[in-house]
Structure formats: C-alpha cells, structure tokens
Amino acid sequence: MTSPLQESLLLPAPPPPISWWPPAPGWLLLAALLVSLLVLVPLLLVLNRKRQRRRLKAQRIIWEVPDSLTDQDWLAALNTQLKRHLKSRGNATATRLYGQAWVDYLCQHYPRPRNDLLAPLGSSLYQAQLTLNPQQRRALQRELLRWIRYNHV
C-alpha cells in the first residue's frame, strides 16, 4: 500500500517541548492575587480587631454608669463619660458644648437621629427635679450606643 515515493518523504521534525517558564498571563495574575490576599487579609483582620476593641471600649463607657444613681446624676455621668471619651479621641470642641448645642452636635453626626431620646442630655440635665422612667433610660442608652456604633467612636 505504500509506494516508494511515500517512503522517500521525510517526516517533519517534532516541535520543541513546551517550557514551564514563563507561565501564561493568567497564572501570573493568579499569583499576584494570592500574594496580595496573603498580605491584605492579616492587615484587614488586625484593623478590624482594633476597631472592635475601640467600639467595645466606647460602649463600655455607657454601660459603666450605674443604674442606682439618681436621674440627674445618671445623666451627668453619661455626659461626663461621653465627653471624656471624645476628648481622649482628640475632639476637644465637643467637650465645651452643653444644653441644646450638645444635643445638636450628637444629632448631626449620624443619620435619622432621635432628638426626643437625646433631649434629656441637653435641657433636662439642668432641671432641679428630673424624673426618668427605666424605659427612658434604656432608650437613651440604646440611642447613645447607636451613635457610638455609627461614629466608630
């Protein structure tokens, strides 16, 4: 079946073996992505842990105020703790605010503020006879915790 003419043909030379280097561009991109993940993930974990510690510390200042205090002393202690914490964070201008200006400062620094819940920190603090029921105290604490959570204090 084979003719002498076909037998006299030379077969083409086989191609050279495929080298493993340089890799295809997709492998280079994958390697760059993996290296960046190995660098960024630990960094993001450390930053997240620091932010959580700072937030827990700020939330703790709200819960450290004892409930056994009178209403006026309780509000004064909350004000003092908040202002002390803001001053330690470098916001000294907020520590000079009082009354409605203090409530306005708190309300302008996060969306949908509940001015009615924060109002006791402003005007009620300076009243001679102040009465807050336990629901009002808890609502004020929740609103301050929401403020802390939003402001990353």
Side-chain angles (χ1 to χ4, degrees), residues 34-45:
L34 288 176
V35 167
S36 63
L37 281 176
L38 286 174
V39 171
L40 287 177
V41 167
L43 180 67
L44 290 175
L45 287 174

Side-chain angles (χ1 to χ4, degrees), residues 70-73 75 120 123-132:
T70 64
D71 292 333
Q72 193 162 7
D73 291 340
L75 283 174
S123 59
S124 300
L125 183 62
Y126 305 106
Q127 292 177 356
Q129 284 298 334
L130 174 67
T131 56
L132 293 174

Side-chain angles (χ1 to χ4, degrees), residues 30 52 74 95 115 117 131 134 140 143 152:
L30 182 64
Q52 285 178 346
W74 185 77
T95 61
N115 195 357
L117 295 177
T131 56
L140 179 59
E143 191 67 14
H152 306 293

Side-chain angles (χ1 to χ4, degrees), residues 3-55:
S3 69
L5 196 55
Q6 272 183 333
E7 290 177 3
S8 67
L9 288 175
L10 294 175
L11 294 175
I18 298 174
S19 170
W20 67 274
W21 192 259
W27 287 109
L28 292 175
L29 288 174
L30 182 64
L33 177 69
L34 288 176
V35 167
S36 63
L37 281 176
L38 286 174
V39 171
L40 287 177
V41 167
L43 180 67
L44 290 175
L45 287 174
V46 167
L47 291 176
N48 188 30
R49 184 172 296 150
K50 283 183 181 180
R51 192 182 87 226
Q52 285 178 346
R53 281 187 196 149
R54 192 172 55 236
R55 183 181 295 160

